[in-house]
Amino acid sequence: CTFIVLSKDPNTEVKNSDLQDTNRMIGDVNFYLNNTDNPHEAELEVMIAEQQYAGKGVATEVLHLMMQYAVNDIGVDDFVVRIKDTNNASIHIFENKLGFKETERAPVFKEVTLRRSVCDDLKASLNQWTSHANRIKCALE
């Protein structure tokens, strides 16, 4: 599942026509259900490609939204991320903002694996963090 991240004006309501404005695209957030041993585990990825939006909480916000969707709509029970071990900003987000714990380091791939299981506290936090969000239903062609 992929969500495209758009820049937003906090004083303007988003309309369906805004979703086709490619000039507003600043990144994406994804999850994959690719663990055949645990079909309820989602591997998360996030990328904020436009540097002027880096470090402003955008990645944290879209990860909250994606996790809330994955838990409430898809039935995800566990999350995993694999991050380059030099990407301190992403590691910080997942450990300190989202409560993930390091479970593995793969020096040959220069990668760290972090995990977070879904519990009632996480569900409540996700619902609180995303209470401001409104879903926009659209069919892009």
Side-chain angles (χ1 to χ4, degrees):
C1 178
T2 299
F3 291 170
I4 301 299
V5 181
L6 302 175
S7 63
K8 68 178 182 176
D9 176 348
N11 301 316
T12 305
E13 184 176 333
V14 177
K15 302 175 290 225
N16 280 351
S17 60
D18 294 335
L19 301 177
Q20 296 182 26
D21 182 358
T22 57
N23 292 323
R24 295 185 56 215
M25 293 173 59
I26 62 170
D28 60 46
V29 60
N30 312 281
F31 74 80
Y32 305 97
L33 301 172
N34 54 11
N35 183 342
T36 56
D37 293 330
N38 182 358
H40 297 283
E41 177 186 90
E43 183 171 346
L44 287 168
E45 293 181 349
V46 65
M47 176 188 64
I48 303 302
E50 297 294 331
Q51 287 304 308
Q52 71 232 41
Y53 293 95
K56 300 202 186 309
V58 175
T60 303
E61 181 178 3
V62 299
L63 283 162
H64 285 150
L65 293 165
M66 180 61 93
M67 290 172 68
Q68 193 266 354
Y69 172 74
V71 169
N72 292 338
D73 291 61
I74 308 300
V76 167
D77 292 332
D78 296 293
F79 290 103
V80 62
V81 293
R82 291 176 179 84
I83 305 169
K84 289 290 181 195
D85 60 10
T86 56
N87 190 341
N88 294 324
S90 288
I91 293 169
H92 174 80
I93 290 169
F94 283 99
E95 286 184 332
N96 298 317
K97 307 271 184 184
L98 301 172
F100 281 63
K101 301 292 182 205
E102 183 178 325
T103 59
E104 183 181 346
R105 281 199 177 253
V108 70
F109 297 114
K110 298 179 180 174
E111 182 177 85
V112 60
T113 300
L114 302 131
R115 295 182 182 276
R116 172 93 197 247
S117 292
V118 176
C119 62
D120 289 339
D121 288 344
L122 177 60
K123 287 180 183 180
S125 294
L126 289 171
N127 288 329
Q128 178 184 1
W129 289 328
T130 60
S131 63
H132 69 283
N134 295 315
R135 287 193 181 194
I136 298 174
K137 294 188 179 206
C138 67
L140 297 178
E141 298 176 5

